[in-house]
Amino acid sequence: MRVRDLGPDDLVPFQQLCSLAFGGSVSATGPAPFRPGQSPLGIDAPGGEGLAAALTVRHDRIAVGGGIAPCGGIGGVSVHPAHRGGGMFARLMTAAIARSTQLGHAFSMLYPSNPGIYRALGYQKVSQVDRLVVPLADLRGIPAPAGLHLSPVTAAAMPEVRALYREVVDAGNGLLLREGPLFGEEMPAAPWTAVLVRDAEGTAQGYLSFARTPDGPAGTGLEVFDLLGRRREHVAALLRSLASWSTVTDAALVRTRQDDPLLDVIPGGRVRPDPEVIPLVMMRVIDTAAALEARPAPHGLHGSIRLRVTDATGPGPVAAAAGDFLVGASEGTVHVHRLADRAEDAPGSHEDPTPPDVRRDEDPGAGAPGARLDIHAASLLLAGGRSLADARRLGLAADADPAAEAFLDTLLAGPRPSVLDFF
C-alpha cells in the first residue's frame, strides 16, 4: 500500500486515529490544514475505510555540541487495530526516514512506547525525559540570594525568556530550539505561568515556567516545564519561589536536564523519580556528514580520520547515513568528505550512491586512522556526550584505531543529550 502525504481532508481521520491509539479528543470539526512545520504521512485502508496508519515528521532543529542540526521529530505514529501486524508500521516509518532524508535532516528523533520496533529501524536510545518529584517543603530552607528579585513573565518579557532558553540550548545536546512555526512567538496560554529572576540592575538571569495541576498520586500539584538559571544563586532563587507553593500542595513534578544544576541546589535527599513511565528518547542518524559538520570542532583538535558507518537495519541503508567518510577538524570547523564507496562493501548492489563530485581516481583518506560504527553506535555517538567505550559497553559495534578513537571522543564530547519537550 502506498504511503502518501496527508492534506486538509485527512485532518479529522488523522486525529481520530491518534485518539484511538493514545486517547484524548478530536479537536478538528472538518477539513483544515495540518499545523505548519510538519509533514503528515499516511496509508489508506483497503476499500476506502479511512486511514490505516499515519504519522507526522516535524521540521525541528536541535543543539549538537555548540552547533545546530536539522532534525525530523516523529510524532503521532498510529496504526489502526484492524491493520496491525501487516507491515504497515515498517512501511510508514521507512517513508518517514526517506522524507527526513529529502528534507535534509541530520537526525530523526522520537519518544517510543515500544523501543524494540524502532531499534529494528536503526533508532538508538540516547536519553530520556527526566521528571522528578520534588517535595516543596524541602525547598523552604534554601537561603535567599542577595540582590535578586522575581517578576511575573508577561508578553513583553517573552523575548527575555526565549533568550535565556537559547543560552541553555547552545550549551547542550539534543534540546529543541523551539522555533516557529512549531513554536509560537506569543506567550503560551494559561495555565502556563512563569516568573523571571532579575538582578539588582533588572537583568533577567533565569526563569521558572509551570502550571498548577490537580494533586496527583505522588502529591504533585505543580508541573514545572523549565527551571533555568545562569548561575547557582539564580537557580536557588527560583527553587525558593517553588517553595512558596508548599502551603497548598506537597510536591512539584520537575522536568530536568542531564546533570541538571538544580540537583546540586536542592537540600535533602527526598527527591525521587516520577512514578509514571519515563519517556525514552531515541535518535537515528539520517545524514552523517550533516550531523558532524553541524558542530564546531573543539579548540586544539586538528587532524583527520576515516569513518565507516554501516546500516543493516530494516529500511535498508540510508544513503546519507551509511558509507565511508573522511572527517577532518581544523580551526574550530569540522569538514566531512564522502569517499568513493567500494563495490565489495555492497554485495549484490549495482547502484552507485557516490555523489558525482567525488573523485574516484584518488583516496584522500589513505593513511588516516580509521573508525567503524554501525548505525546504532553512530546514532548514540553523534548525538553527543558519549564515548566509543560507552557504545561498546552497550554492545554496539564501535571499533577504531587508538588515534581515531581519541579524535572522535574529543570531537563528540559534551553533555549527554537532554530533551525538555514532548511531541
Side-chain angles (χ1 to χ4, degrees):
M1 297 178 185
R2 183 176 65 90
V3 179
R4 65 175 178 86
D5 290 278
L6 302 183
D9 290 340
D10 300 302
L11 182 60
V12 171
F14 175 79
Q15 290 189 354
Q16 290 172 338
L17 192 59
C18 288
S19 177
L20 178 64
F22 306 110
S25 59
V26 175
S27 60
T29 57
F34 281 77
R35 288 183 58 196
Q38 59 184 340
S39 297
L41 304 175
I43 301 175
D44 293 315
E49 299 173 353
L51 287 175
L55 55 72
T56 59
V57 180
R58 293 165 53 99
H59 310 164
D60 277 309
R61 293 199 300 162
I62 62 172
V64 282
I68 301 298
C71 180
I74 307 296
V77 183
S78 309
V79 179
H80 193 282
H83 302 290
R84 293 172 186 168
M88 285 194 180
F89 167 79
R91 189 177 299 114
L92 188 64
M93 283 298 302
T94 299
I97 292 169
R99 179 57 57 88
S100 273
T101 303
Q102 294 167 4
L103 292 169
H105 294 156
F107 296 96
S108 176
M109 177 191 290
L110 51 81
Y111 307 97
S113 55
N114 182 351
I117 59 176
Y118 292 100
R119 196 175 192 284
L121 299 170
Y123 288 84
Q124 175 64 32
K125 188 256 186 184
V126 299
S127 186
Q128 61 194 40
V129 180
D130 287 322
R131 298 195 299 178
L132 300 177
V133 176
V134 178
L136 297 178
D138 291 1
L139 307 181
R140 291 199 294 256
I142 296 176
L148 300 176
H149 66 278
L150 300 178
S151 65
V153 170
T154 62
M158 284 304 296
E160 295 174 287
V161 170
R162 286 192 290 270
L164 287 163
Y165 176 77
R166 183 58 188 266
E167 284 187 26
V168 174
V169 167
D170 288 343
N173 278 313
L175 288 162
L176 276 62
L177 263 65
R178 296 182 180 170
E179 301 173 308
L182 288 167
F183 293 88
E185 293 290 313
E186 69 280 359
M187 185 171 172
W192 187 93
T193 308
V195 295
L196 282 164
V197 57
R198 298 183 182 276
D199 60 20
E201 288 73 39
T203 302
Q205 300 290 352
Y207 75 95
L208 163 69
S209 62
F210 61 92
R212 181 70 165 97
T213 59
D215 284 359
T220 53
L222 287 175
E223 182 174 3
V224 175
F225 309 118
D226 295 342
L227 196 160
L228 308 174
R230 285 197 173 106
R231 296 196 302 271
R232 181 185 179 90
E233 61 265 30
H234 307 138
V235 172
L238 294 170
L239 287 172
R240 277 181 57 86
S241 175
L242 269 187
S244 68
W245 289 90
S246 63
T247 58
V248 293
T249 189
D250 292 335
L253 192 59
V254 183
R255 296 184 195 178
T256 62
R257 296 168 285 152
Q258 296 289 319
D259 301 320
D260 200 304
L262 70 84
L263 296 174
D264 194 44
V265 182
I266 295 175
R270 296 201 301 143
V271 173
R272 58 195 186 278
D274 178 12
E276 299 295 326
V277 174
I278 297 175
L280 301 179
V281 180
M282 298 187 83
M283 294 178 68
R284 188 195 207 283
V285 172
I286 298 295
D287 186 328
T288 295
L292 287 166
E293 290 182 333
R295 60 174 61 239
H299 178 72
L301 181 64
H302 296 274
S304 61
I305 66 163
R306 187 167 184 143
L307 173 66
R308 172 170 295 182
V309 178
T310 60
D311 182 2
T313 58
V318 176
D324 287 292
F325 305 88
L326 183 64
V327 182
S330 63
E331 304 301 328
T333 302
V334 179
H335 302 282
V336 182
H337 176 70
R338 178 181 282 273
L339 302 173
D341 294 276
R342 299 181 301 180
E344 61 267 28
D345 294 333
S349 173
H350 300 288
E351 182 178 353
D352 185 357
T354 306
D357 61 337
V358 173
R359 296 278 307 273
R360 292 183 176 279
D361 56 352
E362 60 185 30
D363 183 359
R372 297 154 296 279
L373 309 175
D374 68 4
I375 189 63
H376 293 101
S379 297
L380 177 78
L381 297 173
L382 270 61
R386 303 295 286 266
S387 67
L388 270 73
D390 292 332
R392 288 192 291 270
R393 280 191 286 270
L394 292 172
L396 308 180
D399 302 312
D401 300 329
E405 181 158 347
F407 179 97
L408 281 176
D409 283 351
T410 302
L411 175 62
L412 303 175
R416 294 190 180 186
S418 295
V419 179
L420 292 172
D421 297 286
F422 295 94
F423 53 78

